[in-house]
Structure formats: C-alpha cells, structure tokens
C-alpha cells in the first residue's frame, strides 16, 4: 500500500508540474519597491515569465526584515503560484525576535539560489587602520573605545560585525541606525569611525576617498573591486555575504519545484541578467533545491549562534 501511495504521489506531482503554471505567479518581496531586493526580483521575474508563459508579478510585502512576506508565503497554497524572493536576514529573524514563529527549515521549500550581496567593512579615512589586521590590533589595544555603525539591531550588518568580533577576539560599541541612509554621512564625517555597509554603497565614497574599505564579507574578492581584500584573507573561514534565493510554501510538489529551479538556473546564465545583477553589486550564486536547503540550514544555524553569543534581541 505504501508503494502504491508513493506512486500516486509521484504521478500527481508530475502532472502538476506539466501543467504549471496555470495562472500568474506572485513573487513576494519583503522590502519596499526601489530597494536592492526589489531590483533583483525584477531582474529575474521577466525571465521566468518568458520561459513559463505566465506573468511573474512582484508583490512587495515590506516589514520585519522579510518576516511579513515570509508569513504570507507559508500561509499560501503549496502549488507554486506564490513564491518569495528571500534573503539571509529572514533566516536570522527567529533568533533575533522571539515573537517570530517562522521556521525556515520546516516552512520553506527551497527552489534555487540567485546571488549574494557582499557587504564591506569601512572606516573613516582618519581612523588609524588601513587593513583588517590593523583594525584588529587597534580594537584589541583599546577594547570598547571605538564604535561601529549598522542599519539596526539584528540587521545582517550588525550580525556580520558581531561575527567579526567573535572570530577576532575584539570588542567595539554598536551604534544602530534606523536604516542605512543615515550611516554613510556619519561615517564620512567621522562621527562614527567604523561601519558595515553594502559593497555597492561603499564603492563611490571609497573611490572618492571619503571612506576606506578594509574588507568585503564574501569568501573571495569582488570582480568589481579586486583591490578590496576578503575578510577571510585575515580571518580564515569568515563569510557573511547575504544570500538571495527563491523559496516556495511548504509542501510544494517536487515536480513544480524542479521545474522552477531549472528555469531559474537558466535565467542566471542570461547575459542581461548577469549585467543587471552586477549593477546591483550582486554576485550570481545559483544553487539547486538540495544545495539551497543545505545552505538555508547552515545560515540559520550560523546566525542563531551569533545572536545567542552576542545576546541580541529585538522586538
């Protein structure tokens, strides 16, 4: 009987995949229109529409670092007609905010990876460190003297610096901002000496000499800025580049997931997609559903450990 039930389930999944999609597909984005995540979703959506013959419509559900969109996703029918373009910050949510009931390991059906968005550790030009090694020495010499900026408590920028402190054995005072817009002027003026910002945001001011980039959070250097070292060159194994990926509701038929994954993988090979991702400071990072599942589990555990060690909590 079990074999029969399994056969019926497989046949049903294949049938659903063959017909999929039968109507427009909603792609949830947990951030407002015009931001980086929204732009990335709008790069890949037309390619999915073109390949599958139905419109993939971006639906912005901002709030709680992707938590509002994630809650909408898990309440949706598991038929592949509602997806989410998610990112690493959403994986850290349950650890950061005890009120969040999301369980990414159980409530996301992984579809595929899209890209990473490397961040940059930057300092004011007058700060007495021109490398990560010098930054570590400076912070070790005077623990708690210097401050660092992030866009908010529990943001990935905040968690990245906490991970750095954990691995380097240093301490600095966290100055959380309400979003990233106020950080850069204060970094350039020296009001706060150290910060973690997107590599894209760092590029112009760094070239103009208004800030100094010490390292990027990706495992390797960036093609766009090859002179910027990777943090891992000084702290082996360091990796804190936010990932962007596509997930479906729990219980989505495997055949539908595989169909979506194949089309998404093809889209990430298109020259115009690669060009547009580069404009967003993104590095393509395709991943199969299985690979993405492993990645989601690893990232969820990593950020939970950082949050616990640092005692980070937000509401």
């Amino acid at each position: 009987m079990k074999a029969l039930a399994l056969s019926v389930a497989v046949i049903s999944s294949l049938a659903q995949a063959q017909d999929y999609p039968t109507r427009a597909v909603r792609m949830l984005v947990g951030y407002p229109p015009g931001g980086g995540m929204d732009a990335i979703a709008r790069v890949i959506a037309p390619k999915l529409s073109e390949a599958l013959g139905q419109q993939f419509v971006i639906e912005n559900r901002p709030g709680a670092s992707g938590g509002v969109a994630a809650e909408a996703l898990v309440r949706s029918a598991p038929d592949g007609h509602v997806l989410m373009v998610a990112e690493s910050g959403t994986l850290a949510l349950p650890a950061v905010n005890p009120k969040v009931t999301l369980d990414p390991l159980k409530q996301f059906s992984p579809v595929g990876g899209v890209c990473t968005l490397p961040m940059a550790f930057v300092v004011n030009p007058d700060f007495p460190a021109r490398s990560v090694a010098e930054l570590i020495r400076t912070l070790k010499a005077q623990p708690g003297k210097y401050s660092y900026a992030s866009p908010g408590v529990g943001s990935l920028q905040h968690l990245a610096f906490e991970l750095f402190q954990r691995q380097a054995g240093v301490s600095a005072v966290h100055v959380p901002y309400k979003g990233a817009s106020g950080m850069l002027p204060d970094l350039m003026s020296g009001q706060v000496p150290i910060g973690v910002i997107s590599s894209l945001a760092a590029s112009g001011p760094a070239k103009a000499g208004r800030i100094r980039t010490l390292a990027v959070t990706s495992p390797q250097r960036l093609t766009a800025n090859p002179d910027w070292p990777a943090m891992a060159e000084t702290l082996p194994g360091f990796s804190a580049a936010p990932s962007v990926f596509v997930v479906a509701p729990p219980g989505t038929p495997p055949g539908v997931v595989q169909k979506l994954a194949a089309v998404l993988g093809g889209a990430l090979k298109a020259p115009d997609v690669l060009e547009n991702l580069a404009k967003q400071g993104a590095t393509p990072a395709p991943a199969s559903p299985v690979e993405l599942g492993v990645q989601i589990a690893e990232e969820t555990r990593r950020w939970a450990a950082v949050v616990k060690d640092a005692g980070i909590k937000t509401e």
Side-chain angles (χ1 to χ4, degrees), residues 82-129:
V82 179
L83 306 172
M84 180 179 175
V85 182
E87 47 85 38
S88 299
T90 306
L91 304 180
L93 267 181
V96 172
N97 189 340
K99 293 182 180 179
V100 173
T101 58
L102 175 70
D103 186 341
L105 303 184
K106 295 179 179 178
Q107 294 181 301
F108 284 165
S109 289
V111 173
V114 177
C115 61
T116 59
L117 291 167
M119 299 180 289
F121 276 55
V122 300
V123 296
N124 180 271
D126 294 331
F127 187 75

Side-chain angles (χ1 to χ4, degrees), residues 1 7 19 31 43 51-53 74 78 92 105 108 121 176-177 180-181 262 286 296 306:
M1 290 298 292
S7 297
D19 295 337
Y31 296 88
V43 168
L52 293 174
V74 301
L105 303 184
F108 284 165
F121 276 55
Y177 283 69
S181 59
I296 287 173
V306 171

Side-chain angles (χ1 to χ4, degrees), residues 1-16:
M1 290 298 292
K2 289 183 179 179
L4 177 60
L6 181 60
S7 297
V8 170
V10 170
I11 292 170
S12 175
S13 176
L14 292 174
Q16 286 178 284

Side-chain angles (χ1 to χ4, degrees), residues 162-304:
E162 290 292 347
L163 180 63
F164 162 73
Q165 291 190 127
R166 183 183 180 195
Q167 292 190 215
V170 298
S171 66
V173 178
H174 181 218
V175 179
Y177 283 69
K178 292 183 178 179
S181 59
M183 286 175 52
L184 198 51
D186 285 357
L187 283 164
M188 292 189 293
S189 70
Q191 183 168 326
V192 60
I194 311 165
V196 185
I197 61 177
S198 74
S199 61
L200 183 64
S203 187
K207 288 176 182 176
R210 304 292 303 279
I211 58 174
R212 181 185 305 127
T213 301
L214 300 185
V216 292
T217 62
S218 52
Q220 297 86 28
R221 296 191 181 207
L222 306 181
T223 303
N225 291 289
D227 293 338
W228 295 355
M231 183 67 75
E233 293 175 27
T234 304
L235 296 175
F238 186 95
S239 178
S243 302
V244 179
F245 46 87
V246 177
V247 290
T252 301
V256 171
V257 168
Q258 291 297 335
K259 189 172 186 177
L260 279 166
V263 172
L264 178 61
L268 292 173
K269 296 176 183 177
D272 58 331
V273 169
L274 297 177
E275 180 181 350
N276 285 322
L277 287 178
K279 289 177 181 177
Q280 299 300 321
T283 301
S288 70
V290 172
E291 291 168 336
L292 178 57
V294 172
Q295 177 185 320
I296 287 173
E298 190 279 326
E299 283 201 55
T300 301
R301 286 193 295 266
R302 183 202 313 164
W303 295 127

